[in-house]
Amino acid sequence: MAVQQGNQGAADVWSGAWVTERLGLRLTGSAELPGLIGLALRENPKRAHLLVSRVLGKHVPQRPAVVHGAGLELGRRVRELLGDKEAGWAVVLGYAETATALGHSVADGLGAPYLHSTRRPVAGVAPVGGFEEEHSHATSHLLLPADPGFLGGDGPLVLVDDEFSTGRTVLNTVRALHARHPRAHYVVVALVDLRTEADRAVLAAAADELGARLDVVATASGGVDLPSDVLARAAGLIAAAPAPVVPDPDGPQAPLSRVALPWPAGLPEGGRHGFTPADADRLARVLPDLAAALAPPLAGADRVLVLGFEELMYAPLRIAGALDDLLDAEVRFSTTTRSPVLAVDHPGYAIRTRLAFPAHDDPADGPGERYAYNVAPGADGSGRFDAVVLVVDAPADTAALEQGLLARLRLVTDRVVLAVLPTAVPATAGPATADLAVRPSESASMHLPAPLHGPDFSSYPASDVRWLLKDLSEVVLEAPTEEREEAVQSGGAHYAESLPVEYQPSPEYQELYQAALTASVDRIALAVGTVAELLRIERLRGERELVFASLARAGTPVGILLRRWFAAVHGLDTPHYAVSIVRGKGIDRTALRYLAAHHDPAQVVFVDGWTGKGAITRELAAALEGTGFNPELAVLADPGRCVRTYGTRDDFLIPSACLNSTVSGLISRTVLRDDLIGPDDFHGAKYYRELAGADVSADFVAAVADRFGAVREAAEAAAQLLASEAGAADRAPDWAGWAGMERISTEYGIGSVNLVKPGVGETTRVLLRRVPWRILARRGAGADLEHVRLLAAQRGVPVEEVDDLPYTCVGLIHPRYTRGATGADGTAVQASEQPDAVQAAR
């Protein structure tokens, strides 16, 4: 890595020479080390020397591209270590205050969510953990994610610090977090790794003890040989050192400009409460506008310093990079710090000058000094900046800032520009989003469960889908269909509290399924491709990812197929989760919290197989109101005309509707019952491992995916048409299906549209797991209904051919058994006429 010279004096003098000569220490290891670090003396009795990074942007002003690039490169190396699959589940944790921007940049290179520790408590935000850094000037680290489940997943945890000296801080962190959220893999990342062999052995033994893998990734490695009397020598040098030169407080002061930045609403200013890849994308898009707002007061400047504030490093760093791209000037970046370091104005010493000023953000540890190093010019004037842009967050914009740091900066440069970033503090949620937010009164021990995946849960591979469900496989939940219906007639039960007995198809029915798949595979592949391409046109922007959340379980094969289309056609690795939604109860709120903690809610696409009359479409929209998630549902078939994103509006057979778990990864319908599902659990489901011999889940997905190449051109054309101005007019939902079902409900004397299940898919469900009364079939309907006719014959249900039916078929549920079972809230319907009375009326 090429390292630009900062305020270091002559380029041929190493900025660690002064300390090595006088203190008697020796740097060993990689030849790259002197290019990465210099040395200084700490004013800290616990540790004599300070490794001063030349690429970190903390103490030594550096080109922003070098600072960000150092972290990006480390992040890419971590991704290579993990592989794309494991990297997709990684979370990055950076250490305050020095490594907050480095960790953030590693997260950028890895493409992972990011959180950094903090030493600033935030009122109303309960810590989910903390740890100690023994050698640091300020030791206590707090973890304050907006969602306490941020660190609760089972993917790799990547810990980032600027230097890896002994490993004690990392070990403290891993032990603290492993006790709360055990995981199998940790990766430690640092610019320099200076551990001894004994330190390495301690960390390896701790990893073995925890039963976890622990990898280390560093830019360079080596060691520091210290004399036995190093602390005494350092104390003597500090005592004999001349007092640092300070600017004349009565000298001329440079003008101060305040600039209001167009910072996006809701965008976090840093990683204190969590920062997602989607947040990074939002910041990247607005950076040119931020730089443009700062440019006017910097006109004509030759050397510009963008100065961040303690833990607030990443946003100022990225702003500095945007200014470097925009201005015809040399732009450098560094930040203020809590750490007291001796300044010696010598080319062979890393800290040439020091500005000391009082703390100005009302810190929890009380008033005290803070420092800005290498900002003031040294005796030779080589480090002078003719403009300084100071970037702070709102809590730091105080009267003490004006009287302290700003006043000092105005003495050492020609102009000072102040930009204040709004602070994103997790707020107590309002009524619409209350259970998606972290409430201050909640226990700090609350955390989100980890997703389930195959082969331990479902026959789909882990790469296809992560199930945001609780495993209830060992719980007996099944009952005969009629018994379930009768049990809920009292109105005290909900259909999601139990499961129907899984239907096992006869050989004749299996043959019909295979024939249906053969006949419709191209039609399904075309619908998948049309939906995928429409989403690519309308929802995929820049580097932002789409995230599929299929409605378990019927939507899950569709989510898998959409994910495979994006991989096969566009080379994109699109995350896919399966979530539960229950009519009358809404969507799984814990699953929503998990998605919000790991992805941009606006990029989550909810997926289902088809629409009937639109009940789930309405349920989803109501459940997501005010959450930040896009409530639009994407489906393969929309015969109900109630969504905008669909592959077709024809009511045709999607073969995955023909079967239950054996075409859906061997997963049951979802279950929601108070005695099984706690407030912080996902909804539940069962994995029917015993049905593996009848499982066609993988075959169904493979058969459809095999036709992607054949239908790609047609799918792209269909999506372009739907996305066009002409296509947009027809896509508007008109809810014609709902109106049709109301008419049928009235005509047949049923009294509730909830007992009317329209479309091939919903009719099949009625026959497989409800108590059907009769089937209405459009006159002349052909092969799409062969399986329906077979199931109806097996259950003794009449099939009535009807003219002008808005769907290919409609299933009517038996009113005698569904009273109290299928209302809008899932438990109650109004009393309706019984079948014999209906017959008399007709």
Side-chain angles (χ1 to χ4, degrees):
M1 175 186 297
V3 180
Q4 304 291 326
Q5 286 294 320
N7 185 18
Q8 298 297 305
D12 58 350
V13 179
W14 176 46
S15 60
W18 191 92
V19 172
T20 57
E21 292 170 2
R22 290 163 177 79
L23 205 57
L25 61 77
R26 188 170 63 91
L27 200 63
T28 63
S30 302
E32 300 93 341
L33 277 178
L36 291 171
I37 60 173
L39 294 170
L41 296 179
R42 296 174 181 264
E43 293 183 348
N44 181 347
K46 297 181 181 180
R47 208 169 184 199
H49 68 285
L50 175 70
L51 301 177
V52 181
S53 175
R54 301 171 69 182
V55 300
L56 189 65
K58 174 53 87 170
H59 304 89
V60 178
Q62 182 55 272
R63 297 296 294 263
V66 172
V67 179
H68 193 217
L72 286 174
E73 177 59 26
L74 286 167
R76 295 184 188 112
R77 288 179 57 190
V78 174
R79 190 170 191 90
E80 290 175 4
L81 170 71
L82 297 176
D84 288 345
K85 180 177 175 182
E86 195 178 11
W89 301 100
V91 176
V92 179
L93 175 63
Y95 287 90
E97 64 180 55
T98 305
T100 56
L102 177 64
H104 222 139
S105 302
V106 169
D108 285 347
L110 178 58
Y114 177 63
L115 176 76
H116 68 69
S117 65
T118 181
R119 296 189 177 109
R120 181 200 283 176
V122 177
V125 183
V128 301
F131 49 90
E132 296 297 312
E133 185 178 7
E134 288 96 335
H135 65 259
S136 174
H137 175 71
T139 61
S140 295
H141 289 250
L142 300 172
L143 298 177
L144 303 177
D147 190 315
F150 191 93
L151 297 172
D154 58 356
L157 179 62
V158 181
L159 302 105
V160 183
D161 209 351
D162 59 318
E163 65 177 83
F164 199 21
S165 299
T166 65
R168 285 194 294 270
T169 300
V170 166
L171 185 54
N172 289 342
T173 311
V174 170
R175 287 191 186 281
L177 295 179
H178 198 81
R180 187 183 298 269
H181 303 300
R183 64 186 74 227
H185 197 177
Y186 297 88
V187 182
V188 179
V189 179
L191 289 169
V192 293
D193 178 6
L194 302 178
R195 292 172 299 153
T196 65
E197 289 302 320
D199 293 330
R200 295 170 190 267
V202 169
L203 198 62
D208 289 342
E209 174 191 334
L210 297 173
R213 175 182 170 186
L214 196 152
D215 292 307
V216 176
V217 175
T219 304
S221 61
V224 180
D225 292 341
L226 300 172
S228 58
D229 59 347
V230 64
L231 292 177
R233 289 194 190 194
L237 287 173
I238 292 171
V245 177
V246 297
D248 181 1
D250 298 323
Q253 288 207 336
L256 170 65
S257 304
R258 278 182 173 262
V259 173
L261 294 179
W263 190 261
L267 177 65
E269 80 284 6
R272 181 178 287 114
H273 304 300
F275 200 93
T276 68
D279 293 328
D281 291 340
R282 288 186 71 197
L283 177 58
R285 290 193 297 274
V286 79
L287 281 174
D289 296 334
L290 300 178
L294 289 167
L298 299 175
D302 293 322
R303 292 192 81 234
V304 176
L305 173 68
V306 177
L307 186 64
F309 162 61
E310 294 186 24
E311 295 173 8
L312 183 68
M313 295 183 68
Y314 180 74
L317 167 63
R318 300 304 305 278
I319 291 171
L323 279 172
D324 200 20
D325 293 338
L326 180 65
L327 300 178
D328 185 18
E330 178 188 332
V331 178
R332 300 279 172 145
F333 164 76
S334 66
T335 75
T336 65
T337 177
R338 288 168 168 251
S339 301
V341 184
L342 179 70
V344 177
D345 192 6
H346 186 282
Y349 190 83
I351 303 296
R352 300 284 297 273
T353 65
R354 177 171 89 168
L355 292 179
F357 54 91
H360 51 85
D361 62 336
D362 191 23
D365 54 357
E369 279 192 335
R370 301 293 187 262
Y371 310 95
Y373 297 113
N374 294 321
V375 174
D380 60 6
S382 62
R384 192 175 194 281
F385 295 98
D386 46 12
V388 176
V389 179
L390 175 63
V391 183
V392 301
D393 55 12
D397 183 20
T398 61
L401 174 67
E402 294 266 2
Q403 299 161 10
L405 176 57
L406 282 173
R408 306 293 194 279
L409 291 175
R410 295 175 69 185
L411 295 172
V412 299
T413 188
D414 297 333
R415 62 190 104 169
V416 176
V417 179
L418 175 65
V420 181
L421 302 184
T423 300
V425 177
T428 301
T433 59
D435 58 353
L436 294 184
V438 181
R439 294 179 287 277
S441 61
E442 289 179 329
S443 167
S445 65
M446 189 187 84
H447 65 278
L448 292 170
L452 302 173
H453 56 79
D456 296 329
F457 187 85
S458 93
S459 60
Y460 293 126
S463 57
D464 271 343
V465 59
R466 297 275 174 141
W467 302 84
L468 301 186
L469 295 173
K470 180 177 181 179
D471 189 354
L472 300 179
S473 300
E474 304 307 315
V475 182
V476 177
L477 294 166
E478 294 79 8
T481 301
E482 288 79 3
E483 182 180 318
R484 292 180 70 242
E485 298 285 5
E486 290 173 351
V488 295
Q489 266 185 248
S490 65
H494 190 282
Y495 75 87
E497 294 179 355
S498 61
L499 293 173
V501 176
E502 280 285 308
Y503 171 75
Q504 294 303 293
S506 65
E508 183 181 6
Y509 188 84
Q510 291 182 45
E511 289 178 7
L512 279 179
Y513 163 78
Q514 292 295 340
L517 177 58
T518 300
S520 61
V521 66
D522 279 2
R523 196 174 185 182
I524 301 165
L526 177 59
V528 170
T530 301
V531 172
E533 291 303 305
L534 191 57
L535 290 170
R536 185 182 64 83
I537 294 168
E538 297 186 338
R539 297 281 296 272
L540 193 63
R541 294 288 184 270
E543 296 298 319
R544 293 185 296 172
E545 66 179 4
L546 288 180
V547 179
F548 294 125
S550 60
L551 302 183
R553 68 186 167 183
T556 302
V558 181
I560 292 172
L561 286 167
L562 287 170
R563 185 184 186 283
R564 290 198 180 186
W565 178 281
F566 273 93
V569 175
H570 301 293
L572 296 177
D573 185 10
T574 309
H576 172 217
Y577 303 87
V579 302
S580 169
I581 188 169
V582 176
R583 185 162 52 83
K585 299 289 187 180
I587 200 163
D588 185 337
R589 311 301 280 185
T590 303
L592 288 188
R593 289 202 300 271
Y594 184 95
L595 291 172
H598 292 81
H599 304 281
D600 178 2
Q603 292 304 106
V604 175
V605 179
F606 291 91
V607 174
D608 209 352
W610 58 87
T611 63
K613 56 184 173 288
I616 287 298
T617 306
R618 294 186 177 191
E619 187 86 42
L620 182 68
L624 297 180
E625 184 177 356
T627 65
F629 287 92
N630 188 322
E632 290 194 7
L633 184 64
V635 298
L636 294 191
D638 178 36
R641 300 184 64 88
C642 51
V643 302
R644 293 183 68 257
T645 304
Y646 54 84
T648 179
R649 276 184 164 156
D650 293 340
D651 182 18
F652 78 102
L653 172 62
I654 299 174
S656 60
C658 290
L659 302 172
N660 284 328
S661 68
T662 51
V663 77
S664 302
L666 298 182
I667 301 302
S668 74
R669 287 184 56 191
T670 60
V671 175
L672 182 58
R673 209 167 82 186
D674 289 345
D675 62 327
L676 298 173
I677 308 299
D680 300 317
D681 288 335
F682 296 136
H683 292 186
K686 298 185 71 168
Y687 175 26
Y688 292 117
R689 298 172 178 82
E690 65 274 16
L691 300 182
D695 187 23
V696 295
S697 304
D699 294 340
F700 171 74
V701 170
V704 178
D706 188 55
R707 302 301 299 161
F708 285 167
V711 304
R712 176 177 178 178
E713 186 174 338
E716 291 172 342
Q720 288 290 347
L721 178 61
L722 287 170
S724 68
E725 185 175 347
D730 186 58
R731 289 170 62 194
D734 60 16
W735 298 88
W738 190 282
M741 294 311 96
E742 287 180 329
R743 177 180 59 79
I744 290 173
S745 175
T746 300
E747 182 179 345
Y748 281 79
I750 294 174
S752 172
V753 294
N754 294 302
L755 307 184
V756 182
K757 301 296 184 181
V760 178
E762 292 303 303
T763 300
T764 305
R765 285 178 166 186
V766 169
L767 289 164
L768 289 177
R769 63 193 195 209
R770 303 302 293 269
V771 180
W773 176 32
R774 66 181 62 210
I775 306 300
L776 309 181
R778 182 188 295 159
R779 194 176 305 279
D784 278 344
L785 292 190
E786 287 184 6
H787 76 292
V788 169
R789 292 189 177 94
L790 176 61
L791 285 174
Q794 289 176 346
R795 299 198 63 179
V797 178
V799 177
E800 178 181 330
E801 291 200 347
V802 179
D803 293 316
D804 301 323
L805 196 65
Y807 296 84
T808 302
C809 62
V810 175
L812 304 182
I813 298 175
H814 203 306
R816 176 174 295 134
Y817 292 98
T818 57
R819 181 177 178 180
T822 57
D825 64 353
T827 60
V829 295
Q830 294 180 345
S832 62
E833 296 179 87
Q834 296 301 307
D836 51 353
V838 174
Q839 293 281 20
R842 291 180 56 78

PDB file of all heavy atoms in Angstrom, residues 815-829:
ATOM      1  N   PRO A 815     -70.270 -24.311   5.576  1.00  0.00           N
ATOM      2  CA  PRO A 815     -70.622 -23.408   6.681  1.00  0.00           C
ATOM      3  C   PRO A 815     -70.839 -24.116   8.007  1.00  0.00           C
ATOM      4  O   PRO A 815     -70.597 -23.544   9.062  1.00  0.00           O
ATOM      5  CB  PRO A 815     -71.922 -22.751   6.182  1.00  0.00           C
ATOM      6  CG  PRO A 815     -71.886 -22.874   4.702  1.00  0.00           C
ATOM      7  CD  PRO A 815     -71.186 -24.179   4.441  1.00  0.00           C
ATOM      8  N   ARG A 816     -71.295 -25.393   7.972  1.00  0.00           N
ATOM      9  CA  ARG A 816     -71.575 -26.083   9.234  1.00  0.00           C
ATOM     10  C   ARG A 816     -70.333 -26.195  10.093  1.00  0.00           C
ATOM     11  O   ARG A 816     -70.377 -26.138  11.310  1.00  0.00           O
ATOM     12  CB  ARG A 816     -72.153 -27.470   8.953  1.00  0.00           C
ATOM     13  CG  ARG A 816     -72.376 -28.293  10.219  1.00  0.00           C
ATOM     14  CD  ARG A 816     -73.078 -29.602   9.908  1.00  0.00           C
ATOM     15  NE  ARG A 816     -74.429 -29.367   9.408  1.00  0.00           N
ATOM     16  CZ  ARG A 816     -74.950 -29.973   8.345  1.00  0.00           C
ATOM     17  NH1 ARG A 816     -74.223 -30.825   7.645  1.00  0.00           N
ATOM     18  NH2 ARG A 816     -76.183 -29.720   7.968  1.00  0.00           N
ATOM     19  N   TYR A 817     -69.165 -26.365   9.482  1.00  0.00           N
ATOM     20  CA  TYR A 817     -67.938 -26.579  10.239  1.00  0.00           C
ATOM     21  C   TYR A 817     -67.114 -25.325  10.404  1.00  0.00           C
ATOM     22  O   TYR A 817     -66.240 -25.278  11.276  1.00  0.00           O
ATOM     23  CB  TYR A 817     -67.074 -27.647   9.557  1.00  0.00           C
ATOM     24  CG  TYR A 817     -67.685 -29.015   9.607  1.00  0.00           C
ATOM     25  CD1 TYR A 817     -68.392 -29.507   8.514  1.00  0.00           C
ATOM     26  CD2 TYR A 817     -67.578 -29.791  10.752  1.00  0.00           C
ATOM     27  CE1 TYR A 817     -68.974 -30.767   8.560  1.00  0.00           C
ATOM     28  CE2 TYR A 817     -68.156 -31.049  10.797  1.00  0.00           C
ATOM     29  CZ  TYR A 817     -68.842 -31.524   9.712  1.00  0.00           C
ATOM     30  OH  TYR A 817     -69.414 -32.757   9.754  1.00  0.00           O
ATOM     31  N   THR A 818     -67.346 -24.294   9.609  1.00  0.00           N
ATOM     32  CA  THR A 818     -66.462 -23.143   9.651  1.00  0.00           C
ATOM     33  C   THR A 818     -66.991 -22.009  10.511  1.00  0.00           C
ATOM     34  O   THR A 818     -66.311 -21.030  10.706  1.00  0.00           O
ATOM     35  CB  THR A 818     -66.212 -22.607   8.242  1.00  0.00           C
ATOM     36  OG1 THR A 818     -67.474 -22.295   7.645  1.00  0.00           O
ATOM     37  CG2 THR A 818     -65.485 -23.624   7.401  1.00  0.00           C
ATOM     38  N   ARG A 819     -68.225 -22.146  10.998  1.00  0.00           N
ATOM     39  CA  ARG A 819     -68.729 -21.095  11.863  1.00  0.00           C
ATOM     40  C   ARG A 819     -67.802 -20.929  13.057  1.00  0.00           C
ATOM     41  O   ARG A 819     -67.497 -21.868  13.774  1.00  0.00           O
ATOM     42  CB  ARG A 819     -70.130 -21.452  12.348  1.00  0.00           C
ATOM     43  CG  ARG A 819     -70.719 -20.368  13.232  1.00  0.00           C
ATOM     44  CD  ARG A 819     -72.138 -20.723  13.630  1.00  0.00           C
ATOM     45  NE  ARG A 819     -72.672 -19.704  14.510  1.00  0.00           N
ATOM     46  CZ  ARG A 819     -73.887 -19.737  15.031  1.00  0.00           C
ATOM     47  NH1 ARG A 819     -74.696 -20.745  14.752  1.00  0.00           N
ATOM     48  NH2 ARG A 819     -74.299 -18.775  15.831  1.00  0.00           N
ATOM     49  N   GLY A 820     -67.315 -19.702  13.244  1.00  0.00           N
ATOM     50  CA  GLY A 820     -66.378 -19.446  14.330  1.00  0.00           C
ATOM     51  C   GLY A 820     -64.950 -19.728  13.969  1.00  0.00           C
ATOM     52  O   GLY A 820     -64.072 -19.611  14.804  1.00  0.00           O
ATOM     53  N   ALA A 821     -64.701 -20.127  12.705  1.00  0.00           N
ATOM     54  CA  ALA A 821     -63.332 -20.507  12.366  1.00  0.00           C
ATOM     55  C   ALA A 821     -62.689 -19.636  11.319  1.00  0.00           C
ATOM     56  O   ALA A 821     -61.477 -19.568  11.266  1.00  0.00           O
ATOM     57  CB  ALA A 821     -63.301 -21.954  11.876  1.00  0.00           C
ATOM     58  N   THR A 822     -63.452 -18.992  10.484  1.00  0.00           N
ATOM     59  CA  THR A 822     -62.818 -18.354   9.340  1.00  0.00           C
ATOM     60  C   THR A 822     -63.235 -16.910   9.140  1.00  0.00           C
ATOM     61  O   THR A 822     -63.321 -16.419   8.021  1.00  0.00           O
ATOM     62  CB  THR A 822     -63.122 -19.139   8.052  1.00  0.00           C
ATOM     63  OG1 THR A 822     -64.551 -19.216   7.893  1.00  0.00           O
ATOM     64  CG2 THR A 822     -62.543 -20.523   8.100  1.00  0.00           C
ATOM     65  N   GLY A 823     -63.530 -16.214  10.197  1.00  0.00           N
ATOM     66  CA  GLY A 823     -63.877 -14.809  10.057  1.00  0.00           C
ATOM     67  C   GLY A 823     -62.671 -13.945   9.786  1.00  0.00           C
ATOM     68  O   GLY A 823     -61.544 -14.418   9.700  1.00  0.00           O
ATOM     69  N   ALA A 824     -62.903 -12.648   9.689  1.00  0.00           N
ATOM     70  CA  ALA A 824     -61.812 -11.725   9.380  1.00  0.00           C
ATOM     71  C   ALA A 824     -60.730 -11.774  10.432  1.00  0.00           C
ATOM     72  O   ALA A 824     -59.567 -11.506  10.157  1.00  0.00           O
ATOM     73  CB  ALA A 824     -62.363 -10.308   9.239  1.00  0.00           C
ATOM     74  N   ASP A 825     -61.101 -12.117  11.673  1.00  0.00           N
ATOM     75  CA  ASP A 825     -60.088 -12.218  12.724  1.00  0.00           C
ATOM     76  C   ASP A 825     -59.621 -13.645  12.923  1.00  0.00           C
ATOM     77  O   ASP A 825     -58.921 -13.955  13.885  1.00  0.00           O
ATOM     78  CB  ASP A 825     -60.632 -11.657  14.046  1.00  0.00           C
ATOM     79  CG  ASP A 825     -61.813 -12.460  14.580  1.00  0.00           C
ATOM     80  OD1 ASP A 825     -62.286 -13.372  13.865  1.00  0.00           O
ATOM     81  OD2 ASP A 825     -62.247 -12.177  15.713  1.00  0.00           O
ATOM     82  N   GLY A 826     -60.027 -14.556  12.035  1.00  0.00           N
ATOM     83  CA  GLY A 826     -59.591 -15.942  12.130  1.00  0.00           C
ATOM     84  C   GLY A 826     -60.380 -16.775  13.100  1.00  0.00           C
ATOM     85  O   GLY A 826     -60.151 -17.964  13.228  1.00  0.00           O
ATOM     86  N   THR A 827     -61.340 -16.191  13.815  1.00  0.00           N
ATOM     87  CA  THR A 827     -62.054 -16.967  14.828  1.00  0.00           C
ATOM     88  C   THR A 827     -63.564 -16.919  14.707  1.00  0.00           C
ATOM     89  O   THR A 827     -64.235 -17.817  15.165  1.00  0.00           O
ATOM     90  CB  THR A 827     -61.699 -16.472  16.242  1.00  0.00           C
ATOM     91  OG1 THR A 827     -62.068 -15.091  16.356  1.00  0.00           O
ATOM     92  CG2 THR A 827     -60.224 -16.611  16.519  1.00  0.00           C
ATOM     93  N   ALA A 828     -64.148 -15.902  14.125  1.00  0.00           N
ATOM     94  CA  ALA A 828     -65.606 -15.787  14.182  1.00  0.00           C
ATOM     95  C   ALA A 828     -66.179 -15.279  12.877  1.00  0.00           C
ATOM     96  O   ALA A 828     -65.640 -14.397  12.240  1.00  0.00           O
ATOM     97  CB  ALA A 828     -66.005 -14.850  15.323  1.00  0.00           C
ATOM     98  N   VAL A 829     -67.316 -15.863  12.484  1.00  0.00           N
ATOM     99  CA  VAL A 829     -68.082 -15.332  11.362  1.00  0.00           C
ATOM    100  C   VAL A 829     -69.517 -15.168  11.819  1.00  0.00           C
ATOM    101  O   VAL A 829     -69.957 -15.782  12.788  1.00  0.00           O
ATOM    102  CB  VAL A 829     -68.045 -16.275  10.138  1.00  0.00           C
ATOM    103  CG1 VAL A 829     -66.663 -16.387   9.597  1.00  0.00           C
ATOM    104  CG2 VAL A 829     -68.605 -17.650  10.476  1.00  0.00           C
TER     105      VAL A 829
END
